[in-house]
Each structure stands twice: as structure tokens, then as C-alpha cells.
Amino acid sequence: MHGVKLFTGAAVSVLLMALAGPAPALADTIEAALVRSYQNNPQLNAQRAQVRSTDENVPQALSGYRPRVALTASAGYQYSDIKAEQGGASIHGTGVPRSVALTVSQTLYNGNQTANRTRAAESQVSGSREALRVLEQTVLLQAATTYMDYLRDAATLEVQRSNVRVLEQTLKQTRDRFNVGEVTRTDVAQSEAQLAAGKTQALTAESNLTTTRANFRRIIGNEPENLAPGSPVDRFLPGTLAAGVSLSLIENPNVTAAMYGIDVNYLQVKINEGALLPTVTVQAAVSQSFQQQLTLFRTNTASAIAQASIPIYQGGAEYSLIRQSKENLAQQRLNLETTRDQTRANVVQAWGQLQAGKAQVQSAQAQVTASEIALNGVREEAKAGQRTTLDVLNAQQALVNARVALVTAQHDRVVASYNVLSAVGRLSPQVLGLATTTYDPSVHYQQVRDSWAGVRTPDGR
């Protein structure tokens, strides 16, 4: 039963965190996987398109400051038969009446509705950017978790396969001892049963790895090959739980998005209140018409008119809108408090999982060391006749369980650090220092904000 050394050190090395040393050359790294997810994730790219669509709310709101110009033209055929009073002359004939007119109108005051619509649109843009940050964090966390899932499941499969090899060797040695009369048929049956159970565990681990491979391809975008160990991101975390909670209430994008939502709802109240205020407009027009009447060949007109409209009563709908928007504002303020409470709870939970993960790695390592010593001791005692084959098999299974527990603890340790960074609101390419060009939503915003005309998007579509 010397085959135990086949798995005591090899399996977990597949997963051991990068604290142990540099990654092998040409290995895929967790940072590279995060870059691919950040660049290519279709859900993330769709959200970026949504932000660009929201940017257009600002020029739409700003259009209220700009003049409206309309050019109208008409042409047709007309027959007229005009008879004056009895005995008078009559006029009849055909004509081709035609006209062209240019009208320019400008709103001078509308109860500050345009200004408030513009500010609301800008807050919507800011809120959409925070929603994009939420999804960026979600995608990066999914990528990091999937990367570590694959390392965990690959290491678990190696543990189980190594266990099968050891059990096969154990069964061979037990049969040899049975043939010389050192053990009974029961010992052989116990070895056979443990080998069958080991093969089942190996098949289960292989199935789990197949599922994880599919998730890796879906989330990260490529087949996992030659993965380097993952490392925790503790260096980017706040030093204490209290600091993490305080930071999350400032930087977590769910919180900031809810704050921008309050701004939007507050300004909507002002917009609806503006409907009760006067509206002042000025309009200038020039026109030229031909043959509008048989006795007139051409008419030129020009006008400039200022108009003030004061709403008195419009059925009460405007008052209902004001009340409704105030309730929406109150609801959004309560949503902000809910979001803050949830964010605080998420940070505390993730922080606790991280601390537990650190302790679990240490205890799992101690468990592996103790299980190795115990197995070697049981094997030696079995040689002296003080232990049975079942004792050896049980000690063997205990070591396998310890190895799997260590693999799982190391996985949880790394994932927990990413969870804390996400809960705080700092899981981003900039903070992680990823080697990628970060998407800057302000570029498109500046390209379209002051655009007066044009149907092409900035990228040429």
C-alpha cells in the first residue's frame, strides 16, 4: 500500500493560490479571463448600448431651448366663378394657386420645464452609468467565480482519480495477502467496495467538471486550458469591516444609482409643477403666395408675434400628476434606504465569509497534514496486525475528504475576496489593474449632447 504517495501532494497543487509563486509560462490567468469577460460579454455590451440610448435624452431635453423652423409649400388647381350683385360684373376662370411659407418659433419661458427636463435627463444618464457599473461588477464576479470553480473541480477530479489509483493498488495488495492467507475474503470485499465507491466519486467529479467547463465557455468566452492558480484580491479591500461598510455607502453603484433616481423623481415634480406656470413664445413668419384669388397675382406677408399662455384649469390632470410625482419621489427615497440597508448587509456577510474562508484554509491544511500522518500510522499498524484493512480504507477516505475540503476552502477563500470587493463597489478593471481599455461612457455622451442635427450615430451607423 505504498501507492498513497501518488496523491498526497499532486492534486491540490492544481488549485493552490498564487501566493505560492509565479504562474507557469503561457498559462491562462484569472486576470486575462476577467479581461475577456469585460470586453466580450454580450449582456455587458447590450447594457453599454442602453447607456448610449439614454444619452440621447439630454439633447432631446435641450431641444426645448432651440428654435423650431418649419417650411410649408402648397400648389394646386382652382376654378372660380364669382358673380357680384344682380346686374353686376362676374368673374370666372381658372388658376394655379401656390404658396410657400417659413415659420420660426421660439419658447422664451415655460415654467422652467426645459431646464428641469435637461437636469432630469442628465441624472438619468448618471443613473444608467451606475447601472452599467452594477452589471460590470456582476460579470467580473461571475468570471472570477467560474474561473475558480473550474480550478476547484479540476483539482477535485485529480484527487478522486488519484484515490482510485491508490485503491486499485490497495486491492491488488490485499488480494496478494489473501492468497498467502494473511487476510480474509472479507478484507478483499471491503477493498473492492471502497474501489467501486471511489470510481463513483471520480465519475461524479468528472461530470461536475464538464458542467463547469460549459459555464466557463459561456461566461468567459473560451475553453479552459492550462489555468494558472488564482489569487485573492485582499490588497484592494478596506482594512476593517467598518471602513468597508462606510465605503460601500459611497461607492456601491446600487446606492449611487438610487441617489440619482431621487434626483430624477424630484425634477419630475418640478416639471409637472411647471405646467401650472405661464408659457411665453415668439413666432416669426414670412410667406409668398401666387394666384390665391383670380384678382390677385402675388401676395407677400411677414409677421412677428409674441404670445403668452396662462393655464387656468385643464380638468385637474395636472394637479394629479404633481401629486403622483411626489409619491414617486417619496417611494424612491425609501428605496434608497432599502438599498443602503441591503448593501450594508451584503458587505457584512461577504466580510464574514472572507474571514471564515481564511480560517477554513488553515484548518483544512491542518486536516490534510493530520490525515496523512494518520494514514501512514494506520498502514504501519496494519502491517503489524494491529489494524484491519477496513481501518486503512477508512483512513484513506478521510485523507481524500480532507484534500477535497482543502480544495473547496481555497476556492471559497479567493471567491470571498472578490465578493467583498464587489459588495464594497470597487470590483472594476481600474481597481484590479486589468490590461484592457476601459469603456468610457462619457465619450459618447459628449459626442451627442450638443448635436443639433444628424441621424448617424457617432460610430457611423
Side-chain angles (χ1 to χ4, degrees):
M1 289 186 283
H2 296 288
V4 68
K5 294 188 180 296
L6 290 175
F7 86 29
T8 53
V12 181
S13 64
V14 178
L15 177 64
L16 280 175
M17 296 178 291
L19 301 175
L26 302 179
D28 193 10
T29 64
I30 190 170
E31 290 78 14
L34 295 178
V35 168
R36 290 194 297 276
S37 295
Y38 179 79
Q39 292 176 340
N40 304 321
N41 185 276
Q43 186 181 7
L44 190 53
N45 286 328
Q47 187 66 29
R48 290 165 180 161
Q50 177 63 43
V51 174
R52 293 193 294 271
S53 175
T54 306
D55 289 343
E56 296 291 349
N57 290 344
V58 176
Q60 289 170 21
L62 287 172
S63 66
Y65 286 121
R66 298 165 185 163
R68 283 170 167 73
V69 182
L71 180 64
T72 58
S74 65
Y77 174 82
Q78 176 179 288
Y79 170 77
S80 299
D81 188 353
I82 303 173
K83 183 175 178 60
E85 295 181 355
Q86 186 174 2
S90 61
I91 302 174
H92 62 87
T94 60
V96 183
R98 53 200 185 275
S99 66
V100 61
L102 179 67
T103 303
V104 180
S105 60
Q106 175 67 58
T107 299
L108 300 181
Y109 180 74
N110 62 355
N112 291 323
Q113 291 184 70
T114 298
N116 289 324
R117 286 194 181 101
T118 301
R119 291 166 58 196
E122 291 171 342
S123 294
Q124 289 173 345
V125 168
S126 298
S128 69
R129 293 179 184 178
E130 296 308 299
L132 176 60
R133 283 184 58 213
V134 171
L135 188 57
E136 284 178 350
Q137 291 203 145
T138 300
V139 168
L140 291 175
L141 182 59
Q142 285 180 340
T145 302
T146 302
Y147 187 96
M148 296 305 300
D149 286 349
Y150 188 85
L151 287 177
R152 176 199 60 197
D153 293 346
T156 300
L157 177 58
E158 180 60 26
V159 169
Q160 298 297 349
R161 285 176 174 172
S162 297
N163 181 46
V164 169
R165 290 193 292 269
V166 172
L167 292 175
E168 288 174 342
Q169 216 168 38
T170 300
L171 176 58
K172 180 180 179 301
Q173 293 170 356
T174 303
R175 283 173 175 168
D176 291 341
R177 295 177 65 193
F178 172 73
N179 291 334
V180 298
E182 293 183 3
V183 296
T184 67
R185 179 60 190 168
T186 301
D187 295 307
V188 176
Q190 289 171 340
S191 296
E192 290 173 341
Q194 194 74 1
L195 175 59
K199 288 181 177 179
T200 299
Q201 292 171 344
L203 290 173
T204 301
E206 188 171 357
S207 175
N208 292 338
L209 183 62
T210 300
T211 301
T212 305
R213 180 184 293 272
N215 289 334
F216 193 102
R217 176 67 179 83
R218 176 177 61 87
I219 295 173
I220 296 178
N222 65 293
E223 295 294 334
E225 293 182 3
N226 193 24
L227 301 189
S231 60
V233 288
D234 294 358
R235 60 192 180 279
F236 303 122
L237 302 180
T240 63
L241 174 58
V245 170
S246 298
L247 189 61
S248 69
L249 298 180
I250 299 173
E251 293 196 16
N252 188 287
N254 289 301
V255 174
T256 51
M259 294 173 67
Y260 285 120
I262 290 179
D263 293 341
V264 172
N265 282 272
Y266 171 78
L267 291 166
Q268 189 60 51
V269 173
K270 296 300 180 183
I271 292 170
N272 292 334
E273 289 176 345
L276 302 177
L277 300 176
T279 300
V280 180
T281 60
V282 62
Q283 177 177 296
V286 294
S287 65
Q288 188 175 61
S289 57
F290 296 88
Q291 298 185 14
Q292 299 296 313
Q293 301 179 22
L294 292 178
T295 57
L296 296 176
F297 175 72
R298 184 181 69 186
T299 302
N300 294 325
T301 61
S303 64
I305 301 172
Q307 180 178 354
S309 174
I310 303 175
I312 303 299
Y313 184 73
Q314 304 173 65
E318 66 277 24
Y319 299 107
S320 176
L321 285 173
I322 293 172
R323 295 193 303 270
Q324 184 182 52
S325 58
K326 287 181 177 179
E327 293 295 345
N328 291 337
L329 175 59
Q331 179 189 20
Q332 189 61 39
R333 284 173 173 159
L334 294 173
N335 288 341
L336 174 60
E337 293 305 314
T338 301
T339 302
R340 283 173 171 164
D341 290 340
Q342 186 62 57
T343 299
R344 185 182 294 107
N346 290 342
V347 173
V348 173
Q349 179 182 7
W351 189 272
Q353 291 173 343
L354 177 60
Q355 302 307 312
K358 293 177 181 179
Q360 287 168 358
V361 169
Q362 294 178 351
S363 62
Q365 288 173 338
Q367 182 183 1
V368 169
T369 301
S371 297
E372 289 176 351
I373 295 172
L375 175 58
N376 291 330
V378 170
R379 288 176 59 248
E380 293 300 322
E381 292 171 1
K383 290 180 182 179
Q386 298 176 340
R387 294 281 187 167
T388 65
T389 300
L390 182 59
D391 293 330
V392 176
L393 295 174
N394 288 339
Q396 173 79 13
Q397 187 59 47
L399 179 55
V400 170
N401 294 341
R403 288 288 183 186
V404 173
L406 177 56
V407 165
T408 303
Q410 291 181 322
H411 162 276
D412 295 345
R413 162 77 172 87
V414 175
V415 172
S417 68
Y418 278 91
N419 271 313
V420 173
L421 196 61
S422 175
V424 170
R426 306 202 68 205
L427 183 55
S428 66
Q430 298 91 329
V431 173
L432 295 176
L434 300 182
T436 181
T437 301
T438 57
Y439 180 79
D440 185 359
S442 66
V443 173
H444 177 269
Y445 174 78
Q446 295 299 333
Q447 289 172 331
V448 301
R449 185 185 192 280
D450 297 315
S451 178
W452 282 54
V455 296
R456 287 187 176 273
T457 60
D459 60 4
R461 286 174 289 128

